[in-house]
Amino acid sequence: MKPLTVNFRSKAALTLADAQIQQSIEHVYTGFFKGRLTAAGETPDWENLRTKGKAIKDHTIANLDYYLGLLTDNVEKNGGSVFFADDAEEARQHILDLAHKLKIKTVIKSKSMVSEEMGLAEAMTDEGFETVETDLGEYIIQLANETPYHLIAPAVHKSRADVARLLDDDYKDGDRVPDATELTMMAREKLRGVFERADMSVTGVNFAVAESGSIALVTNEGNGRMSTTVPRVHVAVMGMEKIVPSIQDLSTMLRILIRSATGQRISTYVTMVNGKRKPDEEEGPEEFHLVIMNNGRQKLLEDPQLRESLNCIRCGACLNACPVYRKVGGHAYGWVYPGPIGAIVTPVLTGLKDADNLPSASSLCGACHDACPVKINIPRMLLELRYRTAEGSTDKVERTSSAKERGIWKAWRMGMMGRKRFDIGSRIASIALKPLSRNGWLKKAPPPLSGWTSTRDFPVIAASSLKSRLKKRSGDLK
Ligand code: SF4
C-alpha cells in the first residue's frame, strides 16, 4: 500500500493554483452532478428508490455475518473459493501467492478501489508479474504513476493533451490534441494484446449477491466483461460491506447507483459472474476466487455513530456535489477515498492521527447528504469525527487537537454559555480588534486567530449586542 501522506492544506493549495486541473475537474459538476439531477428528475419514484436503497443497506449491514456466510456458501456451491482477509496486507499476499502457485505471467485489472487499498498493482509488478489496468481512467493513472482522483473517474483531472502525452511517446506540445475517440482508440490498441495474453484478472465487485453467490460489475467500457471471460483465473476483491441479500435488491441498488454515478439510466455493461466456467459453457475462467477484505471496516461496524458509512455504494455523487472537493480535488485527501465519504472512512480505516484534517474539510452545507442515493448523513458523521478529534475518544480515535486549540474552544464555549460573559467578551474583543479593522471588516486578525483571516475576511465585532441596540432603539422611539 502506498504510504499515507495526508497533507490536506498543502495538496489543496497546489490544486487551487493549477488552472488546468481546475478546468478539468469542472466536469464532475457539469457532467456528473447535472447528469444525476436530470436522471433523478426523470425517475418518478426516485425518493422511494433512495429510501428502499437505504433500507436494503441498513438491513444488510445489521445482519452482515449472516449474509457473508450465505454468500460464502453460494460462491463455493458455484465452484469458487472465498478468502477472508483481515487487512490489506493479508489480501495482497493471498493474491500474490495464488499468482505464483498458478504460474501466472500477465494480470489484467478492472477498476477496484479495494485493490487500491492493497496497493495491489504495484505489489504484483514488483514481484515480476506484468500488471496492467484496463479501465481507461485507471490505465491513464497507471501510466502517470498517480493515484485515482475520483471514485468513478480516476483521471478526471487530466486534460486531453495530458492523456496524449501519456499514450503516445512521440506526442509533443503544440501538436494537434487528439479528440476523446482518438485517445480511446490509442489505448484500445495498446490494451488489446494485453487482454489476449492475460492469464489472470483482478476485478472489483460493485455488489455481491448473497442468495446466488454472484457478483455484479458495472462498467462502460466492456473491460470488466473481457476481464471476467478471457483469462483462465478470475480473482474478485471486495470490501466486506459490498453485499446485497437478493437479486431483487440488486436491481434496486443498480438503479440508484448508475443514475447517481454517471446520470445514465443503465451503464453500457452490467456483468454478472456466477463463479467459474461450467462444463457446458464456452466462456469464463477455469478458476474463480473471491477475496473479502475487512481492513478496518469492523471498526466502523462496531461504531454506532459511524456504521452508516458502510452503506456507501461508491457512486461518487457526494464528491460531485461537494463544493470543497470540486475545488481541492482528489489528491488532497491523501488516500484511496476522496471527498466527503473519504473524509469519514480514511480517518477510521487508516487512523485519525494521519488524517485529522479531513473531517474539517467541509463547509457542512449538506449537499453530500442530499446527493447520496442511500441517504448517508455525512455531515453528522463529520461533526462526530471533529468532536472526537477535539475531545479524544475511548478507543476508536486518538485525540489530535493541540492544548492551545482545546484552550481556545474551551474559552469560546464558556463565553457562549453565559449571556453576561458573552456581552463582556464581545465588548472586549470589539475594542481590542478595532485598530485592525477597516470599513467594517477585519482583514488580518492577530494570532491565534490569524489562520482564520489568512483566506477570508471577518466582519468586525459589533460594539454592542443586537438586544441592547434594540432596547436602546425602542427607548429612543418612546
Ligand atoms: S457516501 Fe453516498 S454519495 Fe458518497 S459515494 Fe457513498 S453512496 Fe455515493
Side-chain angles (χ1 to χ4, degrees):
M1 184 168 61
K2 285 193 172 72
L4 180 66
T5 51
V6 177
N7 193 340
F8 187 85
R9 276 169 194 265
S10 57
K11 288 189 180 174
L14 281 179
T15 309
L16 288 167
D18 191 322
Q20 182 266 303
I21 292 189
Q22 289 296 320
Q23 197 183 352
S24 296
I25 58 176
E26 199 40 35
H27 181 72
V28 304
Y29 183 72
T30 53
F32 299 144
F33 179 81
K34 291 190 173 170
R36 177 183 60 80
L37 288 185
T38 307
E42 288 169 356
T43 310
D45 54 350
W46 180 246
E47 279 311 308
N48 286 339
L49 275 177
R50 287 178 75 207
T51 306
K52 213 167 149 192
K54 174 177 166 47
I56 291 168
K57 287 299 299 186
D58 281 345
H59 168 80
T60 313
I61 297 299
N63 299 281
L64 197 55
D65 275 2
Y66 169 75
Y67 286 116
L68 283 170
L70 188 61
L71 175 70
T72 305
D73 290 347
N74 287 323
V75 169
E76 287 171 354
K77 260 187 222 156
N78 294 341
S81 79
V82 178
F83 180 78
F84 280 90
D86 200 37
D87 56 26
E89 200 182 327
E90 209 181 332
R92 188 174 60 226
Q93 196 54 52
H94 176 73
I95 298 169
L96 286 169
D97 291 346
L98 257 179
H100 282 299
K101 192 176 104 190
L102 298 170
K103 304 202 179 331
I104 299 297
K105 289 196 172 74
T106 300
V107 182
I108 47 174
K109 281 190 69 245
S110 178
K111 192 174 172 310
S112 153
M113 299 310 279
V114 165
S115 74
E116 295 288 335
E117 285 183 52
M118 299 174 204
L120 187 64
E122 299 90 326
M124 298 210 83
T125 305
D126 289 349
E127 295 230 356
F129 302 104
E130 182 193 21
T131 309
V132 183
E133 298 282 354
T134 60
D135 171 271
L136 182 54
E138 290 283 349
Y139 182 52
I140 292 164
I141 290 304
Q142 186 181 33
L143 293 175
N145 196 22
E146 290 182 19
T147 51
Y149 214 74
H150 187 282
L151 291 178
I152 62 157
V156 70
H157 60 305
K158 295 282 182 207
S159 67
R160 278 189 287 128
D162 290 336
V163 178
R165 271 189 287 275
L166 291 163
L167 291 175
D168 180 359
D169 292 339
D170 296 330
Y171 184 83
K172 294 183 298 302
D173 286 344
D175 287 356
R176 184 184 70 84
V177 181
D179 64 25
T181 309
E182 289 168 318
L183 291 170
T184 309
M185 292 312 290
M186 284 157 74
R188 187 176 191 271
E189 212 167 284
K190 286 171 182 279
L191 287 173
R192 210 64 185 178
V194 185
F195 275 115
E196 281 165 12
R197 63 178 177 271
D199 35 17
M200 180 192 253
S201 68
V202 178
T203 72
V205 172
N206 285 103
F207 297 102
V209 184
E211 71 168 9
S212 62
S214 331
I215 65 159
L217 284 175
V218 178
T219 67
N220 273 318
E221 297 162 19
N223 62 312
R225 190 159 296 175
M226 288 279 280
S227 300
T228 55
T229 47
V230 177
R232 66 184 161 91
V233 181
H234 174 199
V235 181
V237 294
M238 61 182 268
M240 65 186 197
E241 78 285 9
K242 283 293 200 80
I243 191 166
V244 288
S246 66
I247 292 285
Q248 281 82 1
D249 295 329
L250 175 68
S251 153
T252 303
M253 300 314 286
L254 287 176
R255 291 183 78 195
I256 54 176
L257 168 71
I258 297 164
R259 283 167 170 82
S260 302
T262 54
Q264 295 164 284
R265 287 184 192 161
I266 188 78
S267 55
T268 314
Y269 298 88
V270 175
T271 303
M272 297 293 292
V273 178
N274 293 304
K276 65 180 189 179
R277 186 197 311 173
K278 310 285 180 299
D280 58 337
E281 290 174 343
E282 286 179 10
E283 288 174 340
E286 293 160 19
E287 294 195 23
F288 174 75
H289 302 267
L290 180 62
V291 177
I292 302 176
M293 193 169 81
N294 174 356
N295 206 31
R297 286 162 174 82
Q298 186 72 29
K299 274 195 273 180
L300 290 169
L301 190 63
E302 289 167 3
D303 189 325
Q305 297 297 329
L306 303 179
R307 182 182 302 153
E308 199 187 354
S309 62
L310 290 175
N311 286 3
C312 177
I313 55 174
R314 307 283 189 253
C315 69
C318 58
L319 280 61
N320 308 334
C322 177
V324 177
Y325 173 86
R326 292 206 309 256
K327 282 290 156 197
V328 305
H331 287 164
Y333 294 82
W335 197 53
V336 177
Y337 301 105
I341 190 64
I344 296 166
V345 299
T346 301
V348 180
L349 299 194
T350 64
L352 190 61
K353 201 169 182 2
D354 288 314
D356 61 344
N357 272 326
L358 298 184
S360 298
S362 166
S363 64
L364 299 179
C365 67
C368 48
H369 189 190
D370 291 345
C372 179
V374 283
K375 300 188 173 184
I376 297 175
N377 192 339
I378 294 172
R380 180 189 61 72
M381 288 187 280
L382 290 173
L383 272 176
E384 171 66 22
L385 282 169
R386 286 186 194 185
Y387 174 76
R388 292 183 191 184
T389 312
E391 294 296 320
S393 84
T394 48
D395 58 349
K396 301 285 189 301
V397 176
E398 193 172 340
R399 176 157 72 180
T400 56
S401 58
S402 65
K404 185 173 86 179
E405 189 184 337
R406 288 198 296 280
I408 292 170
W409 286 117
K410 207 168 175 183
W412 172 267
R413 184 167 182 265
M414 273 178 64
M416 297 299 281
M417 296 292 279
R419 180 74 239 180
K420 268 200 179 136
R421 285 197 295 270
F422 179 79
D423 284 344
I424 294 168
S426 305
R427 185 89 189 110
I428 294 171
S430 164
I431 294 167
L433 296 174
K434 200 167 181 183
L436 303 172
S437 63
R438 205 164 301 146
N439 300 328
W441 291 95
L442 195 59
K443 302 272 182 193
K444 204 170 174 202
L449 301 175
S450 48
W452 179 270
T453 48
S454 65
T455 51
R456 40 173 117 57
D457 295 342
F458 196 78
V460 291
I461 295 172
S464 56
S465 69
L466 178 67
K467 196 175 160 194
S468 59
R469 272 183 284 160
L470 284 176
K471 210 167 161 185
K472 183 171 179 298
R473 197 170 147 200
S474 58
D476 288 350
L477 285 176
K478 266 184 211 160

